């Protein structure tokens, strides 16, 4: 099944590779992955949609939480969350259907970001299903080219972030768990 | 006061601060600056003859002491040669830090001479890895590496250091704290779950302890013994955990699993409660999961949250350091002081009678012969000479299983083998690490004629370091374990398992300047082993054993662990998967 995972991770070289490596070494195919800086530039927020055997969902989250660079991995598949995606689409339109295309775009909440005699570039956001319909409709007017961002998700309930405090070097002692 | 020094020198300062007294490595082009700094440093460097063995030796060192082992290799082929050792440390949770050289940072990505993507290649071979691109980050990184390797579930950490970082000059400022906000180490265990565990234990009629390598890693042997005695539970101890409860302890029921004892596997199958301590329900222990411990509730204590519920869903999960959790559980049980009810007490007595009966009915088989040396006899003799006190490092195969079955260990950190990865070639280099760490100990390196030949180059390391290791080759003329499977499951079609042209060990050892001998008669066994032990230096003893002996009991792949094959006369069917 398609699992939606939200990750908060350190913005460090290799951090992305560790996350994707965990999935690829298990033979899972990543449907989509988005990543960008958070308010704190030292951190990134990542949303991954990945086809995972349903019995392995928890294991995947646990393994991600074990990664040193990952501060928090959350399974949003069944959790209260908003999942959105951005589509950028260019459609070639003959003169006579330009108005119709604009109307349709409006129905889907799309916004024209560029217009030329050839046609339009349109952006739209929404859930994957709605965007699929939008793309189909646009395709019926003429040749299209599409870029999708992949799912972006945010949980609707804040989850406690457990961060570890600094520890002294050279003693290899255990850390105490602390909630910040 | 910060002192001006090279990156290489700083690295050595960090190692010294972490208490490193020796490391295993092999130099090369990009590590030249590091070796140059080492030239005038007190840390002992042991030159191995292949980088894989630097990692294995570091693991032997770590396993025998509990300290972090350190190995070092150059870029490219040096680093790729390390990888098997890294995966081995990953699978068996052994704390090691590997330092690799990398090409000069501005050449990275240009297919420079001896460049390999060590950072990428070792991502999945390590608990964590680093590529240090700036000298300013070096000191911090090295301390982080040691911290990560040695805490939580231990494992290998690799630090890849470009040549220019070794060479760069900077002001060395000791780092006293590190901050890894996302590195969660769970130690205490949940109080509520510990209480629930105590309640389950008190009510259980047929409790069983299933203890493993985590007890060794956590130095929790004393707590384990106390727990076992407090609850008077029989205890099965896994391949990785042998020694964590003395083999002489009356509650010790030997190893479970594919070549485990009849009693251990039956006890797992019939118990009503498993107290799983620092184990991971490995497939070689559980056999077919659906048939594993069908009547048991499970209390699972492990420091790695991802191990809990991975293969078997527990009734009471406890994430924590098994030493602390067991300590608290012992205190709680003692405080509660609940005596089992009369019914439970009677059932527990019956349970013990049953377990003892299983032990009596099918102990490990030790056949004898007038003319040939039986492999099991060899293990018996090593056991006799060791008396539970010697370090035994093992390679992988039949000899490893017979050793695990028949050699006793009074303490943890004496039995050192490659469990999770099952990596042939481990036996000799790990002995080099262990003997280096514990020069006072008698160290047997027990190897097959196959695995020995994967490690022959290290004879030279052993001799040059003056390590008095007793190498015992269990020579059956075959890749014995593979031969066993071909015999049992592939209709005796022996394919690519015969090892002919084995070298004359007397000459081989003599070529390296030490003593070697081959024996093949039962009456030679004890005196030859005694001679090996008496010899002040190393010894290479080649013991020719019955070539076609198989290890029993054996749980066929895909079968439940109660469906053991106990010996050769029984017909063996290939199980339906
Ligand atoms: C590096 C490596 N290659 C292959 C194997 C597969 N394997 C497992 S046991 C074994 C046979 C080992 O033969 P030997 O060293 O003679 O020991 P024996 O089983 O005879 O005791 C082999 C080839 C392995 N475990 N490790």
């Amino acid at each position: 099944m398609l699992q939606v995972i939200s990750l908060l991770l350190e913005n460090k070289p290799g951090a992305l590779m560790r996350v994707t490596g965990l999935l690829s070494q298990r033979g899972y195919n990543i449907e989509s992955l988005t990543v960008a800086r958070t308010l704190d530039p030292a951190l990134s927020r990542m949303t991954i949609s990945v086809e995972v055997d349903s019995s392995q969902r928890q294991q995947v989250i646990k393994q991600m939480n074990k990664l040193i660079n990952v501060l928090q991995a959350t399974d949003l598949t069944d959790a209260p969350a908003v999942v959105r995606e951005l589509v950028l689409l260019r459609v070639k339109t003959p003169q006579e259907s330009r108005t119709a295309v604009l109307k349709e775009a409006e129905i889907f909440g799309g916004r024209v970001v560029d217009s030329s005699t050839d046609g339009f570039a349109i952006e739209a956001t929404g859930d994957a299903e709605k965007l699929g319909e939008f793309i189909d409709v646009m395709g019926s007017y003429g040749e299209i080219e599409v870029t999708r961002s992949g799912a972006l998700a945010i949980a609707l309930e804040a989850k406690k972030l457990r961060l570890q405090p600094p520890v002294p070097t050279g003693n290899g002692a255990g850390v105490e768990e602390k909630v910040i | 006061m910060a002192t001006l020094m090279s990156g290489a020198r700083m690295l050595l300062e960090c190692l010294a601060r972490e208490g490193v007294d020796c490391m295993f490595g092999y130099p090369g082009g990009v590590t030249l600056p590091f070796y140059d700094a080492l030239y005038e440093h007190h840390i002992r460097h042991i030159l191995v003859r292949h980088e894989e063995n630097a990692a294995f030796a570091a693991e032997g060192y770590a396993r025998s002491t509990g300290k972090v082992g350190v190995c070092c290799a150059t870029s490219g082929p040096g680093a790729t040669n390390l990888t098997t050792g890294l995966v081995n440390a990953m699978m068996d949770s052994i704390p090691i830090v590997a330092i690799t050289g990398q090409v000069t940072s501005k050449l990275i990505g240009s297919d420079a001479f001896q460049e390999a993507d060590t950072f990428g290649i070792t991502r999945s071979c390590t608990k964590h890895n680093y590529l240090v691109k700036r000298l300013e980050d070096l000191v911090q990184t090295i301390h982080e590496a040691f911290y990560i390797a040695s805490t939580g579930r231990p494992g290998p950490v690799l630090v890849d250091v470009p040549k220019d970082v070794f060479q760069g000059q900077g002001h060395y400022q000791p780092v006293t704290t590190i901050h890894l906000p996302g590195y969660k180490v769970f130690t205490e265990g949940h109080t509520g779950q510990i209480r629930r565990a105590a309640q389950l234990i008190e009510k259980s009629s047929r409790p069983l302890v299933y203890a493993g390598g985590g007890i060794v890693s956590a130095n929790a042997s004393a707590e384990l013994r106390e727990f076992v005695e407090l609850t008077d539970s029989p205890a099965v101890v896994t391949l990785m955990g042998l020694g964590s409860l003395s083999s002489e302890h009356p509650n010790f029921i030997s190893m479970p699993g594919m070549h485990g004892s009849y009693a251990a596997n039956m006890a797992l199958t019939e118990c009503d409660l498993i107290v799983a301590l620092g184990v991971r329900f490995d497939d070689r222990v559980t056999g077919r999961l659906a048939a594993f411990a069908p009547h048991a509730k499970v209390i699972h204590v492990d420091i790695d949250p991802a191990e809990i519920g991975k293969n078997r869903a527990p009734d009471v999960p406890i994430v924590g350091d098994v030493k602390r959790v067991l300590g608290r559980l012992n205190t709680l049980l003692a405080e509660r002081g609940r005596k089992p009810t009369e019914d439970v007490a009677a059932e527990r007595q019956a349970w013990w009678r049953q377990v003892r009966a299983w032990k009596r009915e099918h102990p490990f088989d030790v056949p004898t012969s007038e003319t040939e040396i039986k492999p099991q006899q060899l293990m018996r003799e090593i056991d006799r000479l060791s008396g539970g006190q010697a370090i035994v490092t093992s390679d992988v195969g039949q000899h490893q299983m017979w050793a695990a079955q028949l050699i006793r260990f009074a303490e943890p950190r004496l039995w050192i083998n490659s469990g999770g990865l099952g990596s042939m070639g481990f036996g000799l280099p790990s002995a080099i690490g262990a003997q280096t760490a514990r020069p006072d100990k008698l160290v047997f390196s027990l190897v097959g004629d196959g695995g020995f030949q994967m490690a022959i180059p290290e004879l030279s390391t052993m001799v040059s370091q003056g390590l008095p290791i007793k190498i015992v080759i269990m020579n059956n003329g075959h890749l014995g374990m593979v031969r066993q499977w071909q015999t049992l499951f592939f209709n005796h079609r022996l394919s690519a398992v015969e090892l002919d042209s084995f070298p004359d060990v007397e000459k081989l050892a003599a070529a390296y300047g030490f003593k070697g001998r081959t024996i093949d008669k039962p009456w030679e066994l004890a005196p030859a082993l005694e001679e090996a032990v008496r010899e002040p230096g190393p010894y290479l003893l080649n013991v020719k054993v019955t070539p076609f002996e198989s290890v029993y009991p054996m749980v066929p792949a895909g079968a439940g662990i109660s469906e053991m094959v106990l010996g050769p006369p029984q017909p063996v069917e290939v199980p339906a998967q």
Side-chain angles (χ1 to χ4, degrees), chain B residues 46-217:
Chain B
I46 291 175
L47 178 68
V48 293
R49 302 305 192 249
H50 187 288
E51 290 88 348
E52 175 179 298
N53 300 323
F56 285 160
E59 288 158 34
Y61 179 94
R63 225 36 212 175
S64 61
T65 57
K67 288 166 60 176
V68 177
V70 180
C71 57
C72 174
T74 191
S75 66
T80 55
N81 276 349
L82 272 186
T83 50
T84 304
L86 294 172
V87 181
N88 191 68
M90 192 72 176
M91 291 291 264
D92 287 346
S93 308
I94 307 174
I96 62 167
V97 168
I99 312 283
T100 49
Q102 182 53 276
V103 300
T104 296
S105 18
K106 67 175 194 306
L107 292 181
I108 292 177
S110 72
D111 301 325
F113 177 62
Q114 291 194 327
E115 180 183 356
D117 173 16
T118 304
F119 186 58
I121 290 169
T122 60
R123 194 273 311 161
S124 64
C125 311
T126 52
K127 182 172 172 186
H128 195 63
N129 63 358
Y130 292 93
L131 168 60
V132 182
K133 292 202 76 174
R134 305 181 317 163
L135 179 57
E136 302 90 277
D137 298 335
L138 181 66
V139 173
Q140 186 79 29
T141 304
I142 298 295
H143 291 302
E144 286 182 13
F146 275 83
Y147 181 69
I148 293 169
S150 59
T151 52
R153 179 176 182 172
V157 179
L158 179 137
V159 185
D160 199 26
V161 186
K163 187 175 186 182
D164 53 312
V165 173
F166 279 134
Q167 282 173 315
Q169 294 283 325
H171 288 284
Y172 172 64
Q173 193 80 58
V175 166
T176 50
T177 60
I178 46 175
H179 191 199
L180 298 163
Y183 178 49
K184 308 147 202 88
V185 179
F186 304 92
T187 51
E188 288 306 318
H190 190 278
T191 308
Q193 298 290 23
I194 293 177
R195 191 172 331 105
R196 284 186 56 210
Q199 286 162 354
L200 273 190
I201 291 161
E202 285 159 355
K203 275 189 276 181
S204 163
S205 317
R206 301 189 305 279
L208 183 69
V209 169
Y210 158 34
I215 300 283
V216 181
S217 302

Side-chain angles (χ1 to χ4, degrees), chain B residues 170 185 187 234 321 325 345 541 550 575:
Chain B
V185 179
T187 51
D321 179 335
V325 172
L541 183 62
S550 290

Side-chain angles (χ1 to χ4, degrees), chain B residues 489-504:
Chain B
F489 306 117
F490 291 85
N491 214 10
H492 299 273
R493 287 154 61 96
L494 301 192
S495 177
V497 289
E498 208 172 323
L499 290 172
D500 51 14
S501 314
F502 193 77
D504 175 332

